[in-house]
Amino acid sequence: MANPVDLKWVDGKAPTFIPTGTSFGIPWNKGEIDKTTPISLSADGNSVPVQTWPDGSVKWTGHTLPAGAGLTDKLTLQTGTPAEPSSPVSVVDSQKTITVTTGNFSAVFNKSGNVLIDSISLSGKAQVSKGTLVVNVQNAPDEAELLGSRPTVKGTTGKVEIVTVEQSGPVRAVIKVTGHYTGDHSPFLPWTVRFYIAAGATALRIVHFFIFDGDQTKDFIKGMGLRFSTPLSDELYNRHIRFVSADGGIWGEPVRVMSGLRRDALAPVLTPQFEGTATSDISTWPTSITPFVDQLAVWSDFTLDQLSSEYFTVAKRSNAGRAATFLPHAGSGTRASGLGCVGGATGGSVVFGLQDFWQGAPRGLDIRDASTNTATVTIWAYSPRAPAMDMRHYDTVPHGLDLAYEDVGDPDPTPVGIGRSYEVSLQLFPATPSRTVLAQLAGILTATPQIVANPSFYADHKLFGGRWNVPDTSRSGMAVIEKRKSDLLDFYVAEIDQRKFYGFWNYGDVMHTYDQTRHTWRYDVGGYAWDNGELGSDLWLWMSFLRTGRADVYRIAYAMTRHISEVDSNHTGPFAGIGNRHNVSHWGDGAKEARVAGATLRRPFYYLTTDELMGDLMDYTLAADQTIMTWDPLRKVFPPPDPAGPGRLRIGPDWTTLAGNWFTKWERTVSDFAWQVITSNTVGVWPAATKVGGTDVLNPINEIVNLATNDAGSLSLSEYAVMAIAPELAPDSFAFISDEEKDWDRSTIAASELGRKENVGESIEADMGRTSNGKRHWKRFLCM
């Protein structure tokens, strides 16, 4: 029987509510549970519904809580039958649509066409329709100072190609949709969207990820986002627009403003209009204003733009539309939360939010036609009011390794294959939510609630190598070391904001090297600029979180892992599965290396959050062992190897990464094919030592024949280097893990009956790399 696990919220206190539910992962000791073990969750002794799914080998389990309120600061996970949700999720998969329902909330998703979200309804009333992905693209960069014609902007929308139900309740449903952007451009920018609906929710969580496969000299993205329509039926003075700052401040105005007039409308009208509640019937208003109400301005269009991390503006325009100008000074502030609202005091409202709003600037929120029967909302992950996204490198010539530490050329800089994600939420209300509720929702949007365990629990389970422990200050020398560690974490947390390491492509990364003379990071010096996870900076942050439980460290580790796995890694194209080393441009360096994109470094993020997109990104890395045959990491140092093989790898940064990619795939899914790849590996595996004697030597010796090389001396203990770098991945180590060993990494154990089966390749999945004739092309690697 597994011991109960004490859990808490990463920020220390339970959120007021969780509109879209929440998910988390928990590790288990070997033998504690199996795939049939029921697991329950309790809060202050009261059972909470929880949906559980094991990873392939039950080293970890993923758990989802329903949406709701009344949460407690501490929770307990234990074996036992979980509570049933009061409003379980159901999924109906028909020929043309998929319908997800929980209680009085439902969402309908299309299985083809350019409209992803057919409708979202509350109590039978559709409050969202025509949910569409949009990308505007132009054929040249914005250069406002130049005279003459301007670039041509074309519109594209996301076309649905494949729809999959990944989870179907009862606590959560997950719908995965993939496609390309099409329209006034040939199909490009392959994308993946996941829709999440939790039991009891009135909200939809949307995670969008795209891969850039355009032409960096011709395809300049001029806007990217999600657009939907919402019906409006209240009187103009009872229709309300809301934007919320990152600090919880509210910009809120009606479509027809009744305050500030020459004649006072009085408190019975002004107070409910300010609060967003319904005013009394107009027949009860002062007769000094009622004859003239229809003469007042009607504000129909609203925009919030966060074009930098430090400043946002609110503008509005009358129902004259493009015949009139926006008022650009309607509001302003430093940082917006990304939360907005449009709707009526009685007819229902839609609250929409975009995560990492100011951090990922330029962002934007548009509300159009709020004076009509149907308003249109566009949530801009990249604002069209910003300069077009320019993916070109910062220069056209390389600047050399000797001074600029820049490895550019062979290949030339290209963004093809990199990606980026954004996350949106849509929540329905029967009326305009109060200012207090909106501020609470903004707080949840800007600091997503996350359930975690205590550092001592993680340490006891010896996660991710187990070579760490919780801080120990029992001795003076250790106290000094711990303070130094803490000071460094404090510095990096603060440095991100001090140096404004923000932006659509930049957020999550930090700089590589400092320029003491200029008192700034070397943002413009070749290979010294963006860090791109060099030397495992993301792993340092995750280990620091696990041992301290610090929420601020968790959040920068989360953002950094998102960035490295999406932007610094190539998912498709010529460099599929490998990553880009540090440079002024995230994708500019010519050193394309597997270790940057490696799946093993993404495991803390994946297992702690159960994030499905991270699982996709891990799978993309499996292409690295083929890509590295073309982009040999030592091609600029040594003559190229024979194209027919063997290829050439360094044991530390290359072999451990490739083996780790497949090991991670096996660990997550118990894939037969992944296990076959691992156990059939011959790289770094040498025959046993043999005795050499007689006249060949002066004295008898033991020798390993043809030991691979790592230096000019041609003799190296490279197999044993693996034992020091990644012992859990060492060749032949899998077979020697015993039940009695207590000091292993229980999150990376590869002991399984699967590994001892014969013919393990009989059920190889097609997406794991089969060629058209059913065979995978393998070439033996020569380790360097």
Side-chain angles (χ1 to χ4, degrees):
M1 172 91 49
N3 294 322
V5 181
D6 294 328
L7 303 174
K8 61 179 182 178
W9 300 89
V10 71
D11 292 302
K13 303 290 288 184
T16 306
F17 38 70
I18 43 176
T20 58
T22 189
S23 298
F24 61 96
I26 290 296
W28 300 94
N29 288 325
K30 185 179 180 183
E32 277 193 292
I33 65 170
D34 61 29
K35 294 180 181 180
T36 65
T37 304
I39 298 176
S40 64
L41 185 73
S42 62
D44 284 347
N46 298 314
S47 186
V48 178
V50 62
Q51 181 171 314
T52 299
W53 62 99
D55 76 326
S57 53
V58 202
K59 302 165 194 176
W60 289 76
T61 50
H63 308 272
T64 287
L65 270 64
L71 302 167
T72 60
D73 294 345
K74 298 184 182 299
L75 307 99
T76 303
L77 194 72
Q78 56 199 351
T79 56
T81 303
E84 292 294 329
S86 57
S87 299
V89 174
S90 66
V91 177
V92 176
D93 190 347
S94 64
Q95 183 177 358
K96 295 183 177 181
T97 62
I98 292 176
T99 302
V100 182
T101 303
T102 173
N104 64 349
F105 177 81
S106 64
V108 180
F109 307 106
N110 291 319
K111 299 174 77 171
S112 63
N114 292 78
V115 175
L116 280 71
I117 304 172
D118 182 81
S119 65
I120 308 176
S121 303
L122 186 65
S123 299
K125 178 183 178 181
Q127 292 182 224
V128 168
S129 63
K130 300 179 181 178
T132 306
L133 299 175
V134 293
V135 164
N136 298 336
V137 61
Q138 63 187 45
N139 59 359
D142 284 322
E143 297 176 287
E145 73 278 10
L146 299 183
L147 302 178
S149 61
R150 297 297 179 190
T152 301
V153 182
K154 297 180 179 180
T156 68
T157 57
K159 183 178 181 180
V160 175
E161 294 172 1
I162 301 174
V163 181
T164 306
V165 178
E166 291 189 326
Q167 290 188 13
S168 57
V171 177
R172 182 177 78 164
V174 182
I175 312 299
K176 179 181 179 181
V177 187
T178 59
H180 285 78
Y181 284 92
T182 64
D184 293 333
H185 193 291
S186 58
F188 77 139
L189 304 182
W191 53 264
T192 298
V193 165
R194 280 186 174 85
F195 297 112
Y196 296 83
I197 296 180
T202 60
L204 174 66
R205 176 180 173 229
I206 307 167
V207 179
H208 172 279
F209 173 73
F210 79 99
I211 297 174
F212 186 83
D213 64 348
D215 184 335
Q216 61 181 320
T217 67
K218 297 178 181 178
D219 296 322
F220 297 82
I221 294 175
K222 188 59 177 172
M224 168 178 283
L226 173 71
R227 179 173 294 150
F228 65 88
S229 298
T230 183
L232 298 171
S233 58
D234 288 76
E235 302 89 346
L236 297 180
Y237 49 77
N238 277 328
R239 298 183 186 183
H240 299 283
I241 310 299
R242 301 284 189 264
F243 296 122
V244 188
S245 77
D247 296 325
I250 308 291
W251 186 96
E253 293 193 1
V255 169
R256 172 166 274 160
V257 181
M258 300 306 303
S259 61
L261 304 179
R262 185 177 183 185
R263 295 179 177 86
D264 193 351
L266 303 180
V269 175
L270 301 182
T271 299
Q273 189 179 64
F274 179 80
E275 297 296 343
T277 58
T279 66
S280 59
D281 188 87
I282 194 171
S283 63
T284 66
W285 293 11
T287 56
S288 59
I289 66 168
T290 53
F292 312 105
V293 168
D294 288 342
Q295 298 177 12
L296 297 176
V298 176
W299 302 104
S300 192
D301 300 338
F302 302 81
T303 285
L304 184 150
D305 264 327
Q306 179 98 47
L307 301 186
S308 78
S309 63
E310 304 310 301
Y311 189 66
F312 73 85
T313 59
V314 178
K316 68 180 186 179
R317 184 173 64 182
S318 75
N319 60 348
R322 296 182 63 188
T325 185
F326 273 92
L327 297 184
H329 49 273
S332 64
T334 304
R335 291 169 172 174
S337 67
L339 192 84
C341 175
V342 58
T346 60
S349 296
V350 181
V351 175
F352 48 92
L354 174 61
Q355 275 195 357
D356 296 330
F357 192 76
W358 56 268
Q359 297 96 324
R363 310 282 210 194
L365 303 174
D366 283 352
I367 299 170
R368 299 290 183 263
D369 300 324
S371 63
T372 69
N373 293 333
T374 304
T376 300
V377 175
T378 307
I379 303 168
W380 292 109
Y382 192 92
S383 173
R385 267 82 60 180
M389 191 184 295
D390 194 339
M391 310 288 283
R392 295 173 299 172
H393 194 51
Y394 77 100
D395 207 342
T396 57
V397 295
H399 300 287
L401 281 166
D402 289 340
L403 294 182
Y405 192 28
E406 183 170 71
D407 186 2
V408 169
D410 185 29
D412 292 329
T414 174
V416 170
I418 70 166
R420 200 55 163 146
S421 69
Y422 65 84
E423 181 171 330
V424 167
S425 61
L426 305 177
Q427 186 166 6
L428 306 188
F429 288 85
T432 301
S434 70
R435 290 171 178 258
T436 299
V437 167
L438 288 170
Q440 291 171 338
L441 288 171
I444 292 169
L445 181 68
T446 56
T448 305
Q450 180 65 45
I451 293 175
V452 296
N454 294 307
S456 58
F457 173 82
Y458 293 136
D460 288 345
H461 284 72
K462 302 185 182 300
L463 301 183
F464 311 117
R467 301 173 187 85
W468 59 274
N469 211 327
V470 296
D472 183 354
T473 59
S474 60
R475 290 179 290 169
S476 60
M478 297 175 72
V480 170
I481 293 173
E482 289 298 339
K483 184 179 186 306
R484 179 61 175 161
K485 291 180 179 179
S486 181
D487 288 348
L488 283 171
L489 289 171
D490 291 344
F491 173 81
Y492 270 94
V493 169
E495 187 71 353
I496 291 170
D497 196 53
Q498 174 173 270
R499 303 290 179 170
K500 310 301 183 246
F501 292 155
Y502 301 121
F504 184 88
W505 292 108
N506 298 335
Y507 178 54
D509 207 352
V510 296
M511 288 282 174
H512 184 283
T513 306
Y514 198 68
D515 184 339
Q516 189 64 54
T517 302
R518 291 188 290 172
H519 305 289
T520 188
W521 294 89
R522 302 182 194 180
Y523 68 94
D524 59 349
V525 183
Y528 288 119
W530 291 114
D531 185 63
N532 287 26
E534 182 72 3
L535 301 181
S537 47
D538 51 341
L539 186 61
W540 163 59
L541 291 173
W542 281 119
M543 294 298 102
S544 297
F545 163 71
L546 290 171
R547 66 191 303 270
T548 66
R550 286 180 52 168
D552 55 354
V553 175
Y554 169 86
R555 298 204 183 279
I556 64 172
Y558 185 102
M560 181 176 287
T561 308
R562 273 272 185 242
H563 171 88
I564 296 172
S565 63
E566 295 175 1
V567 180
D568 298 338
S569 302
N570 297 280
H571 313 290
T572 59
F575 314 118
I578 60 179
N580 308 290
R581 292 189 69 193
H582 39 92
N583 193 267
V584 173
S585 303
H586 291 289
W587 48 86
D589 201 82
K592 309 297 183 183
E593 298 213 8
R595 62 185 168 117
V596 178
T600 50
L601 294 182
R602 312 289 96 88
R603 290 159 66 243
F605 182 110
Y606 175 79
Y607 284 122
L608 291 171
T609 67
T610 75
D611 183 77
E612 283 79 11
L613 173 57
M614 188 58 65
D616 293 346
L617 301 179
M618 287 174 162
D619 282 349
Y620 281 123
T621 69
L622 299 177
D625 50 21
Q626 304 298 302
T627 302
I628 208 168
M629 292 294 297
T630 301
W631 298 103
D632 171 23
L634 297 174
R635 65 188 181 279
K636 298 182 181 181
V637 180
F638 298 115
D642 187 336
R648 186 166 52 200
L649 299 178
R650 297 161 299 175
I651 195 70
D654 302 324
W655 184 88
T656 53
T657 299
L658 301 185
N661 292 342
W662 285 104
F663 178 79
T664 301
K665 177 64 177 179
W666 176 84
E667 182 182 51
R668 293 194 306 115
T669 64
V670 193
S671 160
D672 282 6
F673 186 60
W675 185 259
Q676 183 188 42
V677 172
I678 296 168
T679 55
S680 63
N681 166 69
T682 59
V683 179
V685 180
W686 287 268
T690 58
K691 182 170 290 187
V692 179
T695 60
D696 290 346
V697 293
L698 180 62
N699 297 302
I701 60 168
N702 291 325
E703 175 183 275
I704 298 177
V705 178
N706 294 325
L707 192 64
T709 65
N710 195 40
D711 51 40
S714 300
L715 291 174
S716 166
L717 300 179
S718 54
E719 178 176 10
Y720 304 105
V722 179
M723 295 298 293
I725 297 169
E728 61 269 25
L729 300 180
D732 296 333
S733 67
F734 305 123
F736 298 107
I737 299 174
S738 68
D739 293 337
E740 290 74 29
E741 289 178 286
K742 301 302 181 184
D743 292 332
W744 62 358
D745 170 4
R746 290 178 175 83
S747 72
T748 57
I749 172 177
S752 170
E753 289 302 316
L754 177 62
R756 301 181 181 90
K757 291 179 181 178
E758 295 181 0
N759 302 319
V760 294
E762 291 180 353
S763 59
I764 297 174
E765 299 93 341
D767 65 345
M768 287 294 97
R770 272 189 170 178
T771 59
S772 59
N773 62 4
K775 297 180 180 179
R776 185 176 177 87
H777 295 308
W778 288 101
K779 298 183 177 71
R780 182 186 175 95
F781 290 110
L782 175 65
C783 284
M784 301 297 289

